[in-house]
Amino acid sequence: MAEDKKHPMGKLKEQLRNILKVIPSGSKIYYLDYPLHTNVGDLLIYKGTEKFFENNNIKVKARYSVFNFPKNLSIPKDCIIVFHGGGNFGDLWVSHQHFRESVISKYPNHRIVILPQTLYFRDNNNYIKAKKLFSKHPDLHIYARDKRSLNQLKGFSENLYLSPDMAHELWPLTPPTSSQKKPLYLLRRDKEVNKKNRFKIGNNQDVFDWNDLVTKKDSKRVQEIKKEYQNKKVNNAVAWSKFSDYLINKAVSLFSTHNNVITTRLHGHILACLLNKENTLYDNSYGKNYQYYRTWTHKVNKTKFIK
């Protein structure tokens, strides 16, 4: 599929160029908290982010996940610290939030950029504590994935922006031509499940979550790569980059065998949009999907949201 900048998805991709005002072309960066796990949604963000760096001549000097970041790492002052985006800003996925807070505290003299995130705190005390810590950093820049998150981030920094998800940099993806008439149900089973959702799923329908794409052999390989990283044998992310390509290709192949995707996962929706597939999005437990759809993808062809 040829890229069309007038297409709603092409316009969303173009909006990512606004990030270059904060991370200019030619910048040297340390890319932190990229996903070293098998959630395909996070991997789509990761691949879109890496492609954005490549397309805009942003030089990644080092990459670290939450698993292998050295405690006393010396980062050159001319390097920007860039955090992976996604939906883990808050107290639902605490290891990632604690990592951000630790880095923001330790590197007050570096520019720090948090790529597009959805914010969600269950405990208001945690929200207040995070705001107090973040607001002390003089050169912190935060991108919100939706208008509600942007509003809730007020007071975290003077440098707040609204941006689509980094996975949009992957537009357009070209799927294999194979397809069938029955829909694919991609439904999350983790702590973001929305118990209010109701589905009429008939017999012989395909119902998946991202983890269903991961075999025992795949899981073993992931653990091997994590061990290599924790032992500091690898830091250039080559092994993980290749393996994550393999997992994403699995997801693309799965989507290509259906003409319609029904999903409660935001990146099930975004992947369907990247593939120009008809899709229906339902909400997660705290409104993330609806907020994103209302802010960005409501104008994309072949897509709808059901409350």
Side-chain angles (χ1 to χ4, degrees):
M1 187 192 307
E3 182 172 352
D4 179 2
K5 293 182 180 180
K6 294 182 180 180
H7 189 285
M9 288 292 287
K11 290 179 180 179
L12 292 178
K13 179 177 179 178
E14 278 300 300
Q15 289 210 38
L16 294 177
R17 306 281 83 72
N18 290 328
I19 295 172
L20 298 175
K21 296 175 184 178
V22 177
I23 312 174
S25 179
S27 294
K28 294 181 286 186
I29 71 165
Y30 274 50
Y31 177 30
L32 306 188
D33 200 27
Y34 69 90
L36 198 59
H37 54 248
T38 57
N39 181 301
V40 173
D42 286 335
L43 298 182
L44 288 166
I45 299 172
Y46 163 52
K47 292 300 176 183
T49 303
E50 291 281 10
K51 189 172 183 181
F52 179 83
F53 296 154
E54 180 183 352
N55 289 344
N56 294 287
N57 190 32
I58 294 169
K59 302 167 185 177
V60 184
K61 306 304 289 186
R63 297 169 176 84
Y64 292 100
S65 77
V66 71
F67 298 103
N68 72 331
F69 186 77
K71 289 184 179 180
N72 298 307
L73 180 66
S74 177
I75 300 178
K77 290 186 178 180
D78 63 343
C79 289
I80 300 171
I81 298 171
V82 179
F83 275 98
H84 180 76
N88 59 23
F89 193 114
D91 59 5
L92 193 60
W93 307 98
V94 293
S95 62
H96 300 280
Q97 183 67 14
H98 289 167
F99 181 35
R100 272 189 293 271
E101 291 175 357
S102 174
V103 170
I104 288 168
S105 296
K106 288 181 179 178
Y107 300 92
N109 299 317
H110 287 75
R111 171 166 290 190
I112 297 180
V113 180
I114 299 175
L115 293 176
Q117 276 275 359
T118 299
L119 180 145
Y120 176 66
F121 284 87
R122 293 177 291 187
D123 187 331
N124 192 54
N125 289 326
N126 293 333
Y127 172 78
I128 293 170
K129 288 177 184 177
K131 182 187 291 189
K132 184 177 180 180
L133 184 149
F134 278 56
S135 65
K136 291 179 180 178
H137 197 286
D139 197 8
L140 174 64
H141 301 256
I142 309 175
Y143 288 85
R145 280 197 309 196
D146 59 75
K147 293 177 182 178
R148 184 178 70 179
S149 293
L150 183 66
N151 185 58
Q152 292 173 335
L153 280 165
K154 289 178 181 178
F156 277 73
S157 170
E158 294 182 357
N159 309 300
L160 303 175
Y161 319 91
L162 187 66
S163 175
D165 187 270
M166 297 303 296
H168 287 284
E169 187 70 21
L170 299 173
W171 169 262
L173 289 178
T174 304
T177 55
S178 173
S179 65
Q180 54 182 276
K181 291 183 179 180
K182 67 178 181 178
L184 167 68
Y185 289 83
L186 184 77
L187 307 179
R188 66 187 315 143
R189 304 189 190 114
D190 62 7
K191 51 189 168 184
E192 291 187 35
V193 167
N194 185 349
K195 296 180 181 179
K196 295 181 181 179
N197 288 332
R198 295 290 182 270
F199 304 96
K200 295 181 180 179
I201 302 174
N203 295 330
N204 300 318
Q205 296 296 324
D206 291 336
V207 183
F208 286 84
D209 198 3
W210 292 134
N211 284 342
D212 294 320
L213 296 173
V214 183
T215 66
K216 290 183 179 180
K217 183 178 179 181
D218 293 339
S219 296
K220 183 179 179 181
R221 179 58 184 142
V222 172
Q223 293 308 312
E224 289 173 351
I225 294 173
K226 279 186 179 181
K227 189 174 180 180
E228 291 171 353
Y229 280 40
Q230 288 167 334
N231 291 338
K232 299 180 182 178
K233 293 180 180 179
V234 179
N235 189 41
N236 60 9
V238 171
W240 182 245
S241 180
K242 291 180 179 179
F243 189 78
S244 56
D245 281 341
Y246 156 75
L247 290 178
I248 288 174
N249 288 337
K250 274 192 171 186
V252 170
S253 295
L254 174 64
F255 275 47
S256 73
T257 60
H258 298 79
N259 67 344
N260 182 20
V261 178
I262 298 167
T263 186
T264 58
R265 284 203 172 271
L266 176 59
H267 283 85
H269 164 65
I270 291 177
L271 179 56
C273 292
L274 289 169
L275 294 167
N276 202 31
K277 287 271 183 182
E278 182 179 345
N279 68 93
T280 302
L281 178 64
Y282 288 75
D283 221 341
N284 75 324
S285 61
Y286 61 88
K288 174 176 71 178
N289 296 353
Y290 173 65
Q291 292 297 324
Y292 193 84
Y293 178 84
R294 187 175 72 168
T295 304
W296 302 113
T297 52
H298 61 281
K299 293 183 179 180
V300 175
N301 306 332
K302 302 181 182 180
T303 185
K304 62 182 178 179
F305 182 89
I306 295 181
K307 291 187 178 180

